[in-house]
Amino acid sequence: MLTVLLILIPLVAGLVTFGLKGSGPKMLGLIASLASLAVTVGALFQFRTDPGAAALKLDASWIPQLGAKFTLGMDGMGLMLCLLTAISFLLIFIVIYNREYERANSFYGLMLLSQAGLVGVFTAYDALLFYVFWELALIPVYFLCSLWGGEKRIPVTFKFFVYTFAGSLLMLVGLIYIYLQTPEHSFSYASFVSGAVSPEDQSWLFWLFFVAFAIKMPVFPFHTWQPDAYEQSPTPVTMVLSGIMVKMGLFGVVRWLLPVLPKGAYMWSDVAIVLSIIGIIYASCIAIVQSDIKRLIAYSSIAHIGLMSAAIFTNNEQGLQGMMVQMFNHGVNIIGLWIIVEIIQNRLKIKNLNEMGGIAQYAPGIAIFLVVISLANIGLPLTNGFIGEFLMFSGLFQYNVWFMAVAGLGIILAAVYTLNMVQKVIFGQSNALTETTTDLKANELVVLIAITGIILVLGFYPKPMLELVSSTTELVNKVY
């Protein structure tokens, strides 16, 4: 019941929001996101006391002619990503509460529908249902980008749609082929992981799934849609894309690729890791020379996701556990950075780093939170980003020390572009524009305090998060 509520609350609220006027849409969005977080916390307590509780599952008839069922459930990884989704949407709705959007009812309605789709992706245990939610999560974001984006939003959104749609079609072909190999012609998760696919078939099926998930993450060379989409999308949508939606690809690999095609994953793990490491170095170098703050953060996200993607295929507990923990921590940190960008862009109407400077003198609150969140984003010890990166590098070291050494260069490059960004934004010489910067408003302060609290608590005491994902790690390890 709790899992169903997590989908129903944003779904129903999103549909109702389309008919509201005035401040109704933003108010309902806030209430729905708060209710979603409360239900997620309830599910978290239920999971810790009884992971197999009926309240966390649903198994209902859906399309019996096709062997498809409406099966929902939660393991530690799914629950962690539902928690990330609930926290992120609440923080986004709080920070944009004072913003005015044209057709606000449609904007908030589409945002809530995308939340429902995301939760569906993270809880689906039927392959066809997973595919439906995968598409449902994408469609609202497509309209959000194309209707509320920047000047180049139409070609950028078209590119985003073509990439993701092509990846989805490849995955659909793979799902149908595996479905036909199952003895009972079923889309159930149990049937998919039963080993019905031969090793030869797994070798080519791997690429159908990997490309679909690599586009979503995105992994080099399937990343080219991402910087443009992040730059042209309205910042709240960029937060959803970078904080949560890229995790769909990582989640898909762990839930639907490794257990279903373990032989294929084993055959191609070196190639997948090399592509991921190329993405780390390439994106980091591009980030260093960026003058647009949105594109800089976009490329930094590619680099961080590249490390997570490499860690998935290391086939050891440290790599997988680090990647899962980092999915949550990266989501929190990158949304924190986007919130700072949203605040600065709302105040100054600029994105060019060369036009900024000296903000710390006039807005010390913005400066303090930017420094803390930036340090967490590069994995400074005692911040939430540290433990995940440490485990992922440990996993890579066990797999191949040279892979770890090259990927480790990303740490140095990340420090270069991050500290350079901080220097240009808050220190240095101010100008007539930045001298007008006003400090944080009450709602912005609340959101940034919450994010900083998560950063420091999980930095000092990551044990609860590690325990939450441990059951999923053990399950994946068994399939190799």
Side-chain angles (χ1 to χ4, degrees):
M1 187 61 186
L2 292 175
T3 309
V4 179
L5 279 176
L6 281 179
I7 298 174
L8 281 180
I9 290 172
L11 178 65
V12 173
L15 295 174
V16 171
T17 300
F18 283 104
L20 298 179
K21 296 180 179 178
S23 61
K26 66 172 68 176
M27 182 61 72
L28 184 56
L30 195 60
I31 293 171
S33 60
L34 191 60
S36 295
L37 180 58
V39 174
T40 308
V41 172
L44 184 62
F45 280 110
Q46 182 68 67
F47 184 83
R48 293 184 73 86
T49 55
D50 181 11
L56 301 174
K57 299 177 181 177
L58 175 70
D59 192 13
S61 178
W62 183 32
I63 312 176
Q65 295 85 349
L66 290 178
K69 300 182 75 174
F70 202 92
T71 307
L72 302 175
M74 284 190 184
D75 62 358
M77 178 179 62
L79 182 53
M80 178 198 68
L81 290 171
C82 287
L83 181 64
L84 173 65
T85 304
I87 291 174
S88 300
F89 272 88
L90 178 60
L91 295 179
I92 292 170
F93 284 140
I94 291 174
V95 85
I96 67 172
Y97 193 80
N98 295 328
R99 312 282 190 268
E100 296 297 333
Y101 293 95
E102 292 184 12
R103 304 182 298 279
N105 56 342
S106 300
F107 181 86
Y108 282 91
L110 290 168
M111 288 283 285
L112 288 165
L113 292 183
S114 71
Q115 181 181 0
L118 284 164
V119 174
V121 167
F122 299 142
T123 57
Y125 272 86
D126 179 279
L128 189 60
L129 185 63
F130 169 76
Y131 183 80
V132 169
F133 278 123
W134 180 276
E135 295 299 322
L136 284 179
L138 291 177
I139 293 171
V141 170
Y142 168 78
F143 286 108
L144 285 164
C145 295
S146 59
L147 294 175
W148 286 273
E151 293 179 356
K152 301 177 182 176
R153 63 186 183 278
I154 299 302
V156 167
T157 308
F158 179 74
K159 185 178 181 180
F160 166 69
F161 179 78
V162 170
Y163 263 74
T164 54
F165 189 64
S168 297
L169 282 180
L170 290 176
M171 181 170 63
L172 181 61
V173 172
L175 291 176
I176 292 173
Y177 186 87
I178 296 172
Y179 160 79
L180 293 174
Q181 305 306 305
T182 58
E184 66 278 24
H185 284 189
S186 168
F187 283 102
S188 75
Y189 186 71
S191 297
F192 267 53
V193 300
S194 63
V197 184
S198 69
E200 292 75 18
D201 286 343
Q202 289 191 34
S203 177
W204 61 269
L205 281 167
F206 168 86
W207 287 102
L208 298 183
F209 283 82
F210 179 74
V211 171
F213 298 142
I215 289 172
K216 187 59 60 190
M217 286 187 246
V219 169
F220 178 89
F222 309 103
H223 67 285
T224 59
W225 65 269
Q226 190 250 39
D228 294 333
Y230 282 18
E231 181 190 10
Q232 292 297 316
S233 299
T235 305
V237 180
T238 307
M239 294 180 205
V240 175
L241 281 169
S242 61
I244 314 168
M245 200 156 278
V246 295
K247 310 304 185 298
M248 286 168 58
L250 296 163
F251 173 86
V253 173
V254 178
R255 173 63 56 79
W256 293 99
L257 199 159
L258 298 185
V260 176
L261 305 171
K263 303 296 183 187
Y266 182 75
M267 289 179 208
W268 295 107
S269 58
D270 280 353
V271 177
I273 292 175
V274 167
L275 290 176
S276 303
I277 292 175
I278 291 174
I280 295 171
I281 304 302
Y282 165 80
S284 298
C285 292
I286 298 292
I288 289 174
V289 298
Q290 289 300 311
S291 58
D292 185 308
I293 191 170
K294 293 189 76 171
R295 294 185 73 85
L296 187 154
I297 296 176
Y299 279 107
S300 80
S301 182
I302 293 177
H304 283 93
I305 295 294
L307 178 58
M308 289 182 242
S309 172
I312 292 179
F313 293 97
T314 56
N315 187 25
N316 57 61
E317 185 175 355
Q318 285 78 13
L320 282 169
Q321 196 168 34
M323 183 280 300
M324 291 184 198
V325 170
Q326 197 66 356
M327 279 201 289
F328 182 87
N329 292 328
H330 174 265
V332 171
N333 297 342
I334 200 73
I335 286 176
L337 284 177
W338 285 121
I339 287 173
I340 298 284
V341 171
E342 158 75 7
I343 292 169
I344 293 174
Q345 197 172 357
N346 186 261
R347 302 278 199 281
L348 306 179
K349 313 298 182 190
I350 57 174
K351 297 184 295 178
N352 192 330
L353 288 167
N354 297 322
E355 297 176 11
M356 300 181 190
I359 288 178
Q361 302 175 52
Y362 308 96
I366 294 176
I368 291 170
F369 286 112
L370 177 60
V371 170
V372 173
I373 297 171
S374 296
L375 293 178
N377 197 45
I378 59 177
L380 191 78
L382 299 182
T383 65
N384 63 339
F386 175 72
I387 185 64
E389 288 207 354
F390 180 85
L391 287 170
M392 288 189 290
F393 279 115
S394 175
L396 272 175
F397 184 86
Q398 294 175 49
Y399 184 85
N400 185 309
V401 66
W402 290 108
F403 285 173
M404 191 282 290
V406 178
L409 295 175
I411 298 177
I412 300 170
L413 297 173
V416 172
Y417 63 70
T418 301
L419 296 179
N420 184 49
M421 176 193 71
V422 171
Q423 167 68 26
K424 288 186 174 180
V425 172
I426 65 174
F427 298 119
Q429 187 64 41
S430 61
N431 57 51
L433 181 62
T434 57
E435 288 172 2
T436 65
T437 310
T438 55
D439 213 348
L440 298 169
K441 298 175 182 175
N443 61 327
E444 297 165 345
L445 185 62
V446 167
V447 168
L448 290 173
I449 287 175
I451 289 174
T452 305
I454 295 171
I455 287 172
L456 296 178
V457 169
L458 292 181
F460 277 100
Y461 191 63
K463 184 180 176 183
M465 192 59 68
L466 293 170
E467 289 179 343
L468 181 61
V469 300
S470 61
S471 60
T472 307
T473 307
E474 293 168 1
L475 178 66
V476 174
N477 276 339
K478 289 177 182 175
V479 304
Y480 273 103

